[in-house]
């Protein structure tokens, strides 16, 4: 599968296609079209066909896409045909909500452990997890060979935590702290900051 | 200020510039440059200069940007030189975390009320908020003239909630439910789905 030179913008849309297809599969649907996907996602049918064609031939002209097959291929392309363990750093409101979040099921992810540096939180239970001491962060991540982490600590500590995670071998970070992280090449960061999303809309209001 | 034909991709970067500038202001900094902003954000200095030039002249060649002034202008451009009230729908883990989230302070937003349809949650306290009955959603939003909402209900209910919000006059929705919403023109939606962000990274792992 040639995936070397696929533009990042195309990759960023694949999870949306995957999510829509998973919903269709839950609805016991068998076949869809770029038109239908486009309407569900607010993306043009032509764009969807072009995006998917980067990875091979998934549908025949006029007959649409086989949902099970396309879904299977997208799971493989995005490497979520396996389940990735995730570590959560920060056991405050956001970290706790993320650790208990049931939406990771069937999406390729599983929270494996959660850390905090606050002695009043260490040892307490969040859902099925016991909050671990951040002092053991690097060792435990290395031992469990975890590659993905979420940062849910105050902004002022986020860069320091990111550096520990990188040292521990983490390759992908989802950062809930409202600050940009500086990480080495080969480590990927995505950001969730509700204020940023809101400000992208208030411009238009 | 001419903002009519600014591409959406430029608008989407302005909140990042604003956030970085706010952090610099907290650090008591007075002047910055497109180079420094670029390094903090992983965006090229040329791109930043080009983006900002869409809105006027904010810096002089060689002297950089006055942080207070540029920040002030960005607040105005993004319409967050005022505080927007927000309604949260869904008082589960995510809704509760969002309602208590202190990161909205100084970013232009304030959670005003929270709703749920579950009788075991209605009337309970989350931070400083009493959970309201969803049956009063439309009336209370109209009465308070709220324009921005966050959806934190299960995916299966999200579209129905979105339609109620639109009926109530909401113009911007931040959707935490892992499903695409269909809304009329003139209503803006942004999405937060951690699995989508994670899948954008696993492709590269």
């Amino acid at each position: 599968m040639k995936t070397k030179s696929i533009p990042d913008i195309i990759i960023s849309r694949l999870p949306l296609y995957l999510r829509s297809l998973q919903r269709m599969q839950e609805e016991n649907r068998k076949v869809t079209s770029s038109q239908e996907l486009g309407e569900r996602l607010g993306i043009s049918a032509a764009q969807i066909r072009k995006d998917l064609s980067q990875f091979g031939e998934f549908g025949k002209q006029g007959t649409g896409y086989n949902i099970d097959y396309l879904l299977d291929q997208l799971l493989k392309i995005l490497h979520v045909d396996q389940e990735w363990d995730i570590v959560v750093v920060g056991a405050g409101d956001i970290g706790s909500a993320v650790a208990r979040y049931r939406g990771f099921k069937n999406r390729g992810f599983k929270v494996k452990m959660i850390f905090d540096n606050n002695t009043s939180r260490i040892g307490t239970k969040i859902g099925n997890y016991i909050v671990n001491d951040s002092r053991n962060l690097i060792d435990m991540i290395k031992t469990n060979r975890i590659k993905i982490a979420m940062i849910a600590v105050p902004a002022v500590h986020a860069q320091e935590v990111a550096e520990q995670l990188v040292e521990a071998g983490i390759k992908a970070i989802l950062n809930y702290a409202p600050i940009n992280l500086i990480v080495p090449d080969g480590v990927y960061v995505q950001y969730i900051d509700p204020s940023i999303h809101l400000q992208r809309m208030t411009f238009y209001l």
Side-chain angles (χ1 to χ4, degrees), chain A:
Chain A
M1 201 169 290
K2 57 173 172 66
T3 56
K4 282 273 185 276
S5 57
I6 311 281
D8 199 50
I9 183 78
I10 293 181
I11 304 306
S12 78
R13 285 190 288 262
L14 299 183
L16 300 173
Y17 304 158
L18 177 59
R19 189 176 69 179
S20 276
L21 291 164
Q22 286 181 317
R23 195 153 298 277
M24 289 176 187
Q25 195 182 51
E26 284 163 19
E27 295 163 2
N28 292 313
R29 299 274 313 283
K30 294 297 172 203
V31 178
T32 185
S33 62
S34 52
Q35 285 75 15
E36 190 193 24
L37 272 172
E39 278 163 28
R40 288 206 181 199
L41 291 169
I43 298 173
S44 79
Q47 183 71 69
I48 292 174
R49 284 195 299 273
K50 204 174 148 197
D51 286 355
L52 293 177
S53 72
Q54 301 276 331
F55 300 93
E57 282 291 332
F58 297 117
K60 290 183 202 114
Q61 194 85 34
T63 63
Y65 298 112
N66 176 307
I67 291 171
D68 289 348
Y69 178 72
L70 180 53
L71 202 159
D72 227 53
Q73 295 303 307
L74 282 173
L75 289 172
K76 281 181 191 147
I77 290 167
L78 292 169
H79 303 147
V80 282
D81 52 341
Q82 56 172 300
E83 197 172 67
W84 295 84
D85 286 335
I86 298 175
V87 55
V88 177
V89 189
D93 278 340
I94 303 284
S96 302
V98 164
R100 279 192 298 243
Y101 180 57
R102 276 165 298 184
F104 292 129
K105 207 173 161 251
N106 303 325
R107 307 284 297 273
F109 306 101
K110 187 183 192 326
V111 171
K112 181 82 175 177
M113 42 182 131
I114 181 162
F115 289 87
D116 205 290
N117 66 357
N118 186 328
T119 49
S120 73
R121 284 178 185 156
I122 295 165
T124 63
K125 228 176 158 186
I126 292 176
N128 296 317
Y129 307 97
I130 305 278
V131 178
N132 294 299
D133 188 334
S134 291
R135 282 183 294 187
N136 304 321
L137 181 78
I138 295 176
D139 281 351
M140 286 178 74
I141 290 174
K142 280 187 180 170
T143 305
N144 289 275
R145 297 174 187 217
I146 298 174
K147 296 296 166 206
I148 303 179
M150 301 199 204
I151 294 181
V153 303
V156 66
H157 298 304
Q159 179 63 36
E160 180 195 336
V161 167
E163 287 165 17
Q164 291 174 357
L165 292 172
V166 169
E167 190 188 333
I170 290 290
K171 296 296 179 199
I173 296 172
L174 182 53
N175 181 26
Y176 283 83
I179 187 170
N180 247 69
L181 299 177
I182 296 167
V183 296
D185 283 347
V187 178
Y188 300 89
V189 185
Q190 290 265 319
Y191 296 90
I192 289 185
D193 179 347
S195 298
I196 294 279
H197 288 279
L198 291 168
Q199 289 172 350
R200 281 175 186 163
M201 297 190 284
T202 50
F203 173 81
Y204 299 101
L205 297 190

